[in-house]
């Protein structure tokens, strides 16, 4: 039996936590902006929106604007990503140590989930291409739930696996993930290898920051003993 303390449901963010997809996201967003005659968005501005529902991310990058333009840019982005996926030119490598972590958490009493700003088709493609789809028991996506930091994704994951907040940990790289976890009553744990700096994760409520995926199991044991 794997000892992760009291925890029974581990919900991971995807982009920036499981996979490094920033190059795809930035390139597709730049292409969408250019299609509509707009100046390229700064890469850091794009990365800071990762995890949000696409229309919300686009609106934030524009600083608020015409809803028709927001919708058009979001649709263009989706078309660009869909084309990359069909051409098998979408590169989303796992971060170092993630595969070993996911495989090491395989046990009948442990449930794994994903809560992501991707849509369901995109998430399924990512997990299938990495050979990890079968490891996840619940998938929550931006086209079926309200955007982070709303807690709906975590609440649904808990309901689908029959686990309460006290048994649930959320692992993510953005302040949106930490705020979502707190709102759902789950334990927020940040990762230092993603798209928001560690100090922002702590400010948003992270109770621990992982420097490498190999630290998670011991971290969950420690949190169980101290909380």
């Amino acid at each position: 039996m794997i000892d992760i303390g009291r925890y029974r449901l581990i919900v991971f963010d995807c982009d920036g936590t499981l996979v490094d997809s920033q190059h795809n996201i930035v390139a597709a967003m730049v292409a969408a902006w250019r299609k509509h005659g707009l100046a390229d968005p700064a890469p850091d501005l794009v990365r800071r929106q990762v995890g949000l529902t696409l229309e919300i991310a686009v609106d934030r990058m524009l600083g608020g604007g015409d809803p028709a333009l927001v919708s058009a840019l979001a649709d263009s982005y989706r078309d660009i990503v869909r084309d990359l996926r069909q051409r098998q030119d979408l590169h989303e490598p796992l971060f170092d140590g993630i595969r070993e972590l996911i495989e090491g958490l395989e046990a009948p009493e442990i449930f794994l989930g994903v809560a992501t700003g991707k849509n369901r088709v995109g998430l399924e493609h990512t997990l299938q291409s990495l050979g990890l789809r079968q490891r996840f028991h619940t998938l929550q996506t931006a086209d079926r739930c309200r955007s982070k930091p709303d807690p709906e994704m975590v609440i649904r994951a808990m309901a689908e696996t029959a686990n309460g907040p006290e048994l649930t940990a959320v692992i993510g790289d953005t302040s949106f993930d930490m705020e979502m976890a707190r709102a759902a009553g789950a334990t927020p744990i940040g990762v230092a290898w993603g798209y928001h700096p560690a100090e922002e994760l702590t400010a948003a409520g992270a109770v621990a920051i992982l420097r490498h995926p190999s630290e998670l199991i011991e971290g969950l044991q420690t949190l169980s003993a101290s909380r």
Side-chain angles (χ1 to χ4, degrees), residues 33-51:
W33 253 240
R34 290 179 179 177
K35 181 177 179 180
H36 294 273
L38 301 174
D40 294 358
D44 185 60
L45 178 63
V46 177
R47 283 191 291 268
R48 291 195 60 78
Q49 317 312 319
V50 173

Side-chain angles (χ1 to χ4, degrees), residues 113-115 120 123-124 127 133 136-141 160:
V114 177
R120 185 60 177 261
L123 178 59
E124 290 277 4
L127 296 179
R133 173 62 184 90
F136 291 92
H137 305 85
T138 177
L139 303 180
Q140 306 302 326
T141 55
E160 289 182 6

Side-chain angles (χ1 to χ4, degrees), residues 44 48 173-175 191-192 194-203 209:
D44 185 60
R48 291 195 60 78
D173 71 302
T174 72
S175 57
V191 305
Y195 306 150
H196 285 193
E199 56 268 23
E200 289 189 15
L201 304 183
T202 300
I209 303 292

Side-chain angles (χ1 to χ4, degrees), residues 4-7 216-227:
I4 56 171
R6 71 171 187 267
Y7 295 99
L216 177 60
I217 291 176
E218 184 177 352
L220 292 173
Q221 295 169 358
T222 300
L223 287 169
S224 294
S226 64
R227 292 168 65 86

Side-chain angles (χ1 to χ4, degrees), residues 123-158:
L123 178 59
E124 290 277 4
H125 176 271
T126 296
L127 296 179
Q128 292 285 3
S129 66
L130 295 169
L132 292 176
R133 173 62 184 90
Q134 73 282 1
R135 290 294 299 116
F136 291 92
H137 305 85
T138 177
L139 303 180
Q140 306 302 326
T141 55
D143 55 336
R144 302 188 180 190
C145 297
R146 291 185 292 276
S147 177
K148 301 174 185 181
D150 188 284
E152 183 181 10
M153 291 188 190
V154 178
I155 290 170
R156 285 195 179 194
M158 293 189 296

Side-chain angles (χ1 to χ4, degrees), residues 57-137:
V58 169
D59 187 64
R60 283 167 59 107
M61 281 188 282
L62 290 174
D66 178 8
L69 178 59
V70 170
S71 180
L73 284 165
D75 287 344
S76 294
Y77 176 89
R78 290 190 182 96
D79 290 343
I80 291 163
V81 171
R82 187 180 304 113
D83 181 61
L84 289 171
R85 187 182 302 126
Q86 291 172 347
R87 291 191 283 114
Q88 298 185 345
D89 199 23
L90 203 61
H91 304 296
E92 298 177 310
L94 288 167
F95 284 102
D96 177 57
I98 288 293
R99 185 177 298 279
E100 293 79 3
L101 171 62
I102 298 301
E103 292 175 350
L105 287 170
E106 186 168 4
E109 69 277 9
I110 298 174
F111 295 86
L112 301 183
V114 177
T116 178
K118 289 182 180 292
N119 62 29
R120 185 60 177 261
V121 170
L123 178 59
E124 290 277 4
H125 176 271
T126 296
L127 296 179
Q128 292 285 3
S129 66
L130 295 169
L132 292 176
R133 173 62 184 90
Q134 73 282 1
R135 290 294 299 116
F136 291 92
H137 305 85

